[in-house]
């Protein structure tokens, strides 16, 4: 179990399910990312720079993307998350 697994396991089952979905989407879109905890939340680095962070809370989940320079990745990320939110 890595540090992100430990982070996710600290939430109720319903929140864990959503956090795992978000994590899986990130890893699907950008399988080359490095996963770690930074600023007390899961963080995904790409080429040594932050790509995205997310955080679980009691009644919501925060999603904090960093500016994306690769337009193709941005388009794929947006379509995945828009479909996730429906």
């Amino acid at each position: 179990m890595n540090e992100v697994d430990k982070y996710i396991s600290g939430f109720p089952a319903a929140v864990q399910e959503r956090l795992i979905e978000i994590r899986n989407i990130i890893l699907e879109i950008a399988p080359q990312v490095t996963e770690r905890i930074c600023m007390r939340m899961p963080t995904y680095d790409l080429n040594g720079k932050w790509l995205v962070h997310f955080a679980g809370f009691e009644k919501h989940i925060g999603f904090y993307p960093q500016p994306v320079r690769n337009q193709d990745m941005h388009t794929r990320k947006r379509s995945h998350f828009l479909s996730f939110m429906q």
Side-chain angles (χ1 to χ4, degrees):
M1 179 179 289
N2 70 25
E3 57 190 357
V4 174
D5 292 321
K6 289 177 189 173
Y7 175 89
I8 291 171
S9 71
F11 290 91
V15 176
Q16 285 183 34
E17 185 178 313
R18 290 293 185 168
L19 295 174
I20 290 168
E21 286 181 63
I22 292 169
R23 180 189 200 185
N24 289 341
I25 291 169
I26 293 167
L27 295 173
E28 179 185 328
I29 292 171
Q32 67 277 29
V33 296
T34 303
E35 179 181 66
R36 65 189 175 104
I37 296 292
C38 180
M39 299 182 294
R40 295 187 277 165
M41 63 185 139
T43 298
Y44 296 83
D45 299 329
L46 182 62
N47 300 323
K49 297 183 181 185
W50 291 340
L51 177 65
V52 66
H53 317 274
F54 64 84
F57 298 93
E58 185 176 335
K59 296 186 179 193
H60 74 282
I61 294 172
F63 184 76
Y64 312 103
Q66 299 301 307
V68 176
R69 290 191 175 95
N70 181 325
Q71 188 58 39
D72 182 52
M73 180 182 286
H74 177 72
T75 301
R76 287 185 291 150
K77 179 176 70 172
R78 179 177 164 77
S79 67
H80 273 80
F81 279 97
L82 289 176
S83 66
F84 173 75
M85 299 305 286
Q86 293 179 356

